[in-house]
Amino acid sequence: MHLSVLYRGRLSSCNYDCGYCPFAKTYDDRETLRRDAEELARFVSWAERARHPLSVLFTPWGEGLVRRHYRDAMVRLSRLPHLRRVAIQTNLCVGLRWLDEADLDALALWCTYHPDQVDRDAFLGRCRKLDRRGVRYSVGMVAMREHLDEIEAMRAGLPAHVPLWLNAYDERPPGYYSAAEVERLALIDPHFRYNLDPAPSLGAPCWTGENVISVDGNGEVRRCHFVSERLGNLYDGSFAAGLRERACPNACCDCYIGYVHRKDLPFQAEFGRGLLERIPLRQAWAMPAAAAGR
């Protein structure tokens, strides 16, 4: 059995102050950070004892890599012989020397560029350092209308092999994007429409709860971040009895880390082992002539 684990601990602090994020500039006190580190270490120890192939995606509410315990966890997990992939969502704000200790065949980064928080050239400089190290990574942005030119500039600045994925702006009013803007965004991210206008989910076949699970700091297991049904606990092994084929109980799933696991959508085939870090199997982007001449 291959099991993909979406781990979200109690960390919620972030060094960025994005207006669209409810956790911008939140603060975790020392006790919260201590408990988060202990719980993460317990999870890593569980992964080390596992005897089946694993993939792990860290999806912290805040920025994990500013905390040493997340960097150390990434390194330890990357070295496990049965670990296929370990990835984390990050704003890429930290130094990169810690990556020199990791097995880069297993590690990947899901990076997000926030143009109101960091200079584009500085962010691209960090991406170039990742390329020199041979790190697998994707880059993403929230597709706000005021950032359309910046989105295209970021796409032009990234190497062709690096995907630029786009999330639709969550707080958008009806008609927020024009048809022309949707086309413009879809030229950069061919999967943008799945995020903008997700297909109905109720009854759709899904891998979550079968070979994909969500785990919190206490080891409580649910099928995914968006379904509250408890399957058991990771550490006493009770979750395993609850793993089975399931259909989605939600009317809609509009987050990549949810709908990417649907069996009726093309992501498993198109992304393969790059599913968790949001890297498709084939990525060689070139700016269309119409966009280049804008």
Side-chain angles (χ1 to χ4, degrees):
M1 179 184 69
H2 170 247
L3 188 66
S4 290
V5 181
L6 311 179
Y7 182 92
R8 177 173 287 166
R10 64 183 64 242
L11 181 84
S12 66
S13 54
C14 187
N15 57 316
Y16 278 7
D17 191 18
C18 303
Y20 45 77
C21 178
F23 298 95
K25 290 293 184 183
T26 58
Y27 176 77
D28 286 322
D29 59 30
R30 294 177 66 179
E31 176 61 15
T32 299
L33 293 173
R34 184 192 66 78
R35 291 186 62 189
D36 187 61
E38 287 182 352
E39 291 166 353
L40 181 57
R42 185 185 187 192
F43 171 75
V44 173
S45 294
W46 172 86
E48 289 173 334
R49 295 191 303 271
R51 292 296 176 263
H52 50 76
L54 285 174
S55 294
V56 177
L57 173 63
F58 292 112
T59 63
W61 285 122
E63 173 54 45
L65 290 183
V66 298
R67 305 298 175 185
R68 181 173 179 175
H69 54 278
Y70 279 91
R71 301 194 299 271
D72 289 347
M74 294 281 291
V75 171
R76 284 175 61 186
L77 289 170
S78 75
R79 294 172 172 175
L80 299 180
H82 56 284
L83 199 289
R84 292 185 180 178
R85 180 76 73 236
V86 58
I88 190 169
Q89 297 173 329
T90 176
N91 60 29
L92 202 60
C93 65
V94 299
L96 302 176
R97 290 184 180 179
W98 65 276
L99 290 165
D100 298 338
E101 305 299 320
D103 181 347
L104 297 182
D105 287 334
L107 183 144
L109 299 178
W110 164 328
C111 308
T112 307
Y113 170 55
H114 303 279
D116 292 337
Q117 304 295 311
V118 62
D119 179 77
R120 185 199 325 144
D121 289 338
F123 185 90
L124 286 170
R126 295 170 191 166
C127 293
R128 287 190 290 271
K129 291 180 180 179
L130 293 178
D131 286 322
R132 287 195 291 269
R133 281 179 163 82
V135 179
R136 286 175 55 85
Y137 70 100
S138 67
V139 172
M141 297 177 65
V142 176
M144 301 184 73
R145 295 181 69 242
E146 57 264 40
H147 292 159
L148 289 178
D149 290 341
E150 189 64 29
I151 288 169
E152 290 181 339
M154 175 54 64
R155 177 63 273 175
L158 287 169
H161 71 273
V162 176
L164 178 60
W165 49 264
L166 301 172
N167 284 346
Y169 176 44
D170 279 344
E171 302 302 319
R172 64 188 182 276
Y176 179 75
Y177 299 107
S178 69
E181 288 168 340
V182 171
E183 290 295 327
R184 188 174 167 185
L185 294 165
L187 286 174
I188 290 172
D189 179 3
H191 300 97
F192 174 66
R193 287 187 175 87
Y194 288 103
N195 194 271
L196 173 66
D197 187 21
S201 294
L202 185 63
C206 187
W207 290 106
T208 61
E210 184 175 354
N211 64 13
V212 180
I213 58 173
S214 168
V215 177
D216 67 15
N218 294 318
E220 294 297 285
V221 176
R222 292 171 175 79
R223 58 179 298 183
C224 77
H225 290 334
F226 314 107
V227 178
S228 60
E229 176 190 2
R230 181 182 180 275
L231 303 185
N233 190 273
L234 192 72
Y235 303 123
D236 65 12
S238 59
F239 79 98
L243 296 180
R244 59 177 173 80
E245 186 174 3
R246 285 174 165 83
C248 183
N250 294 340
C252 179
C253 182
D254 61 0
C255 181
Y256 174 86
I257 57 176
Y259 62 69
V260 72
H261 301 294
R262 281 179 50 173
K263 299 179 182 181
D264 59 337
L265 297 181
F267 292 94
Q268 301 281 334
E270 293 185 11
F271 284 68
R273 290 185 65 178
L275 194 76
L276 296 185
E277 64 267 30
R278 215 164 175 171
I279 299 177
L281 291 171
R282 290 173 292 278
Q283 170 71 23
W285 188 87
M287 181 176 286
R294 214 186 315 273

